[in-house]
Amino acid sequence: MYEEQQQVEATILYIHPSTKAISLSMLTHVTSRTVPQIGRLTVGCIIEEAKVWRIDQGQRVYVRLGDNLVGLAHAKSLSDQEVKDVSKEFKRGTTHRCRVVDLDLMDNVAIVTMKQSILKQQFLAYKDIVPGAVIQCQVRAIHSTGVSVKVTSHIKGFIPSMHLFDAALKHPEKKFKEGQKLKCRVLRVDPSKYKLLVTNKKSLVTSSLPILTSYDQAQPGMVTEGFIASVRDNGVLVVFYNDIKGWVPRSELSATHMEYPDKMFYVGQVVRCRVLSCQPEEERLKLSFQIAGMKRFGSKAVDVPEGFEVGKLVDCRVVKKSDKGLDVAVLPSEKQAFLPKMHLSDHLSNCDLLLASYQEGDIISEVMYLSSKTVLIVSKKLSLIQASKSDSLAKDFTSIKPGLLYPGVLKNRMSYGVFVNLTHDLIGLAPNKFISDHRVTDPPNLYTPGQSLVAKVTEVDEDKRRFLLSLRMSDCYHDNTDIGIGLLENYLEERAMIMQSIDKQKGSKLAVLHCGQVARVCITDVNDHGVLCQTNEGVKGFVTHEHMIGVRCQQGKVCDAVILEVDIQANCVAFSLNHDLLKAIKHRKDNKFSQVKIGQVLKSEVHLIREEFVLVSLKGHAAGRMAYVPAKKHLNDCFEKRQFSVGQINHVVIKKVENVLLASLQIHEDKAQDQNKASVVKEHNLKPGMKVTAVVRAVHEFQLNLAVGPLEAPGRVYISEVADEHKEGISPLASYKSGMEVTVKVIGFRDGKTHKYLPISHPNFTKTIPECTLKKSKLAIKGFCEGEEISRTYKVGDSIQAFVHSYSNHCLWMQVDPVVRGVVYILNMSEDQQVLNNPSHHFKPGGSYTVTVLDASDPHKLELSMLGDKTPITPGAIVRGLVLAVHPSSGLVVQLSDRYRGRVSLTDLADKFVDNPVDRYRENKMIKACVLACDEKDKCVLSLRKSRLHQGSICKIKDPELLSMDEVKTGQVLRGFVNNCSDKGVFLSLGRDITGRIQYSHLSHYYIKEPKKVFFIGKVVTAKVISVDYSSKQMELSCLEKDTGATENVPKSLVSNKRVAKDSGRTMKKKKVINDKEIKVDKQKKAKKHKLEKSVKRSSRTLDKGLVEELDSGVDVSKDSGSDTETIKSVKKSTPVSRLQVSSGFVWNNTFTLPKKTSQAQDSDSDDSEDEQQPAPKKSKREKLEDRKQEEKMLYQTEQELLQHQREPQSVDDFDRLVLQSSDSSLVWLKYMAFHLATTEIEKARAVAERALKSISFREEQEKLNVWVACMNLENMYGTPETLKAVFDRAVQQNEALKVFQQLIDVYVKSEKIEQAEQLYSTMVRRFSLKKDVWISFARFYFKNNQAESARKLLQRSLKSLDKRDHVEVISKIAQMEFKFGEPERGKTMFENILSSYPKRTDLWSVYIDMMVKLDDKEAVRQLFERVTHQTLSAKRMKFFFKKYMDFEKKYGDEASVDIVRQKAIDYVEIRTGAAET
């Protein structure tokens, strides 16, 4: 094979270090550096037939493994017994069964064994074991952390403690013994580290569910088993085989909410879960415990003690303590319960310390059952315990009523608000706007989950079983300073208990230290934050810069310091080096003169500010004493502490002197006293259903004020509760007088402060105002029954009793009960015309009437009728109506009953036409009309013709009705009304929707100088039908004498030359010049002037030949030939066109008519007036020449006006020219719309508006807004509610929303649509709730419409929505409205309340004084001046008020009063000057 001197390729393996011999290899896979063939085998594989190839020195056996693979078996690997003669037992060529135990890649040989013991083994190495496999193992040893096992002699494993058994084992040594065989399942194997973890949990070992060993295997919907590795608040971590982890979110733990997952699950628990989603590349696996057909976690009923009831107080014993709370046993039943850490106290800062202070076996007294939904939960919160004792906890959803206050716990925070748990798992939402009175950037973060709160119910949705809450201080706190003192006292008591417990457990050095104590300290460090120090006992402390002002500190210095706070959590003390404080404490005397008593008012200085308290030192006779002031007035208070600063001087009132001094700010105490005085209600023991004797104290328009019962509690009987039967129009209170004794029955209560009605289920009525009844039907019933409440729900069709409140805006406002109002529109008041003409005279306040409910969509505002149920509006019915608008060109707009609206055209006003027929009607006049058609509520067609109103009688009809165009025939002579006069002719209304045109050539035989003066709007004209186009519904008319037979009635002063049949060409050119849109002239001014003068002269000679009728404008254009002709300037296209300049603004009113010219006096009968006119006399030559000159003059003036934009547009072409020149001017567009509306062309007006919106530049926001307002006016008058809403919605999107809302409200108010305006205002205050001007405008609207009570309720709503800084202005504005439109006494009260809180607001004083001056109460004004001039104000402001005072006395007083004011001003100046000098 090889020869000497043969060159071969070999690879150096190594060089022997001593002999220097080189070992080489000529194997192909070594020299070529490739993987040898033996690499195809794997360790552990079994070769069934291995053929002996060679025996080396009787010790090693080489075998063929097939495919040229070689195996080597050492002598010790040939058999489990000793082989004496290898060559004899393993002869060459024999086959044997062997197993690969290793691979020698260098020699390309597999190391094999033929031992039967190894051939039978399941696993040969760690890598042979796969996760999830079931294996047999043997216990090797028992450890504290688990049990070690062996799988084979060289494969070892470990069972962790949690995997020893399905349940936790406290003593595993009793369960397992060394050598014990176990059947386990592989959890995880790491061959590189020779680690093997197995589980002995029977539920996992015997599980038949799919085994999850990789993320790729997880498919959505797959159900498998794993074990819990971690339990957290937001979910559970589940581990599978091969360390595959999955997450179960909290929402997937159970079908019901699970508040404390750690009480339902434990680490090591075997759970069955369902795969929701998997992301293998990110190794994310989402699981769920909710599996169809399986019992859900938490569905099992909780084992509760006998007599369990939420709110019940019990004692318990601590069983176990964890980071989340205490596991307790309820005594004496020993039932297990959980006391969460957050429920250990109302003060979250104490919860961690209290948890640390409790030890196993401690007895906790008076804990409250809170919930038993998934786990039995108890609470130690004092706010809940006190509410339980007073029976004021929320019990069920039916007990949740608006206005009630309930204690609760913050459950969750969201971006839109916070959720509060009111016990019994009643959870309500407090939206962001109801969280705080202050404007904050992130309202939900004001509070912390688990924090104790008090919530006020604001709204309840019974259908969805939801309710809204308010946490605002203005809703939940009513100036009761005892609440803050109680919270502070509870906080300090808990701190003292914690200190005692820590001292008992550890013997802390802090226990001997207390606030106000003087200690000797050594300064250990001085830094930027202050000073670090240490007491002689080794207690560490610190001093901040604000407590060492004026003191020089150096490291190592020893000095005295005052203890301000002992911080148990940080194990240190807060000191003060304040020299004055040290001196006061050291010199403090404890005698009867230095004693502090409850109620004393003392000065104090702030030294320390914390979340729960403010530490102050007292001044005066109590100098040297420390006191605590609440940093929270209420559980919901977050801002009280912000008003304090270290070193601040305040007056405080001592509230408690035991153990520690507790005090309250004097300003809070004064405010509480004022509030109590203002709303003092005598305590009583009245309950619903009680019958008592009462004395009438006062008789008002709508109620009797009473002194109820032996305690004379203030109460009342509302007018609706006086009697069962009433006389129409008579007040039931008329027979009662002050001092009368009556027997009443209590049927309800009102809150003494808010005056809101309380539900009958309210737990406490002792300090409320009773509502009583005098009705015999209710007095006869014993006790209180359902249906006796002060107010009830009303339905459409109900016949009820209502009482007149006031009359305004054609509406009679009535009071149904204390909380429900009603409105009777004028058409539903009476059928007597005299009553309707003067309703305020017939309906007196307090009068009782039986009415029928027509509309109850708003439960607090009903629509009522005194005429019974609704009467449908049908064609042919004779109805009453109220004239809303009078349009000279179109007729009347009439309001009918049931909110129907109709239109009366000019031709339907009478059977005989007269000039200006609408003059006899005025707005708000009552009329009778016949319904001709009624498709929709706002599209009724009416007629006032006597022939229609009295169809049974014979009426003389001079001008019959034209119902359609088909009735009109050519040659027919008719009479009609002029509804428009334009350059196209005179338009005549012949019927409701029938209009004809009279061209100027058919108007008169003469030229008419001013047609609008002759044919004014509303004039009756006789005309003959010349032609009719039935398809386009157009007709041409003529009123020439030859056609109608009627004499032309045109004043001589307004006519010129008589018309002839022909016209000259030059005059036609002249006419073309007038009507042409673009006038072209020569550039040379002189030539232009000469040409114009020459044309005028030629025209004057040819005018007498007449004009062509088709081009005739009907306008006299004569001009003086001798007058000079002005120069006409050229209009070039390249020259920019300036905007149209208008001398006066455009007013968009409800009539939409062009200005009407003054006409001469008209006779009542047009026929008579026509008969009296004489034919026009023939003119002389001189008169004809003068007429020609006048025509030329008018023609020239018209040309000049067209060129200089001074002529009012009279046609569509004129308007098109104007809008091209001034496309951004809304005024031009509005006039264009009015032009079309004058001819009742509504669709064309809409089209013009759309053109305007597209043409006006987007930068011209105000111009666009003007057009939008015009569109809304248009749709309000001529459109439908749907079209108006569509226009409004578009306007809101394209303009500033608030402006559009306000403009539409103005439109509604001007058209007297009060209800629509009110509805829109309601939308505004919801959408713009933070805009004070919106609330003020809404209130003004209510006051102006005699709805003062609604305005007052609106004030309360506004204060809940607006920022606190806006409250004063809003209250001030509404107080002014009370003076102007409401009750001045109420306005005075409002101003007094504001000034009591803001006495230095001079603007409020000034407004208040002005209002009182208008009341003409001189003495009251003088008292106000006296009060304001005794205020401590600046000299400038005092000068203002003295001057105002002086002006008042000069106007209303005498010389003596003026001298008195002057002397007071002098005295003030002298006093101020003297004070400045001293």
Side-chain angles (χ1 to χ4, degrees), residues 669-687:
E669 291 294 327
D670 293 344
K671 192 173 182 180
Q673 290 179 6
D674 293 341
Q675 183 72 14
N676 291 334
K677 291 178 181 178
S679 60
V680 61
V681 177
K682 292 183 179 181
E683 189 168 352
H684 56 78
N685 57 356
L686 300 174
K687 299 293 182 183

Side-chain angles (χ1 to χ4, degrees), residues 1253 1264-1273 1287 1290-1291 1294-1295:
L1253 294 174
K1264 274 185 173 289
L1265 180 61
N1266 292 343
V1267 178
W1268 281 114
V1269 175
C1271 290
M1272 290 190 290
N1273 263 301
V1287 171
R1290 289 176 57 199
Q1294 301 183 28
N1295 299 272

Side-chain angles (χ1 to χ4, degrees), residues 452-466:
S452 301
L453 297 167
V454 174
K456 181 180 181 180
V457 181
T458 59
E459 184 178 336
V460 179
D461 187 341
E462 305 234 347
D463 295 334
K464 298 182 179 179
R465 295 185 69 82
R466 296 176 182 173

